[in-house]
Amino acid sequence: VVIPESVVWIKDEAFSFNKSLKSIIVPAVAIGDNAFFACSLMMSITLPNTVTSVGDSAFYACKNLEKIEIPASVKVIKESAFAE
């Protein structure tokens, strides 16, 4: 999935429990709480330099996550953002 550059915020729980999402490129500035919670097939995430914050449990329970790129622009990673 490639999210358009016009998106500045990924809403809380926007993709939660998605069973088909395997990889994503996120151009947004902020990723909300639980935005990708329990996306069990998610394997890779690319966060470009536009992203500044990752919400609580944003990628919680993404048990197949193998690769994530976090740029220096990310200043806030909230609690349990990448917990399993």
Side-chain angles (χ1 to χ4, degrees), residues 8 32-33 53 56:
V8 295
D33 297 345
S53 68
D56 289 331

Side-chain angles (χ1 to χ4, degrees), residues 5-23:
E5 290 184 23
S6 59
V7 174
V8 295
W9 177 57
I10 305 296
K11 181 181 171 190
D12 294 352
E13 302 177 11
F15 293 93
S16 290
F17 298 101
N18 185 301
K19 301 297 181 199
S20 60
L21 189 62
K22 292 184 180 181
S23 67

Side-chain angles (χ1 to χ4, degrees), residues 9-65:
W9 177 57
I10 305 296
K11 181 181 171 190
D12 294 352
E13 302 177 11
F15 293 93
S16 290
F17 298 101
N18 185 301
K19 301 297 181 199
S20 60
L21 189 62
K22 292 184 180 181
S23 67
I24 191 159
I25 297 173
V26 181
V29 173
I31 300 170
D33 297 345
N34 301 305
F36 297 94
F37 183 91
C39 288
S40 58
L41 294 180
M42 176 86 70
M43 296 178 70
S44 71
I45 303 162
T46 301
L47 304 178
N49 291 332
T50 56
V51 177
T52 59
S53 68
V54 178
D56 289 331
S57 302
F59 297 98
Y60 188 95
C62 293
K63 60 185 177 182
N64 287 311
L65 189 59

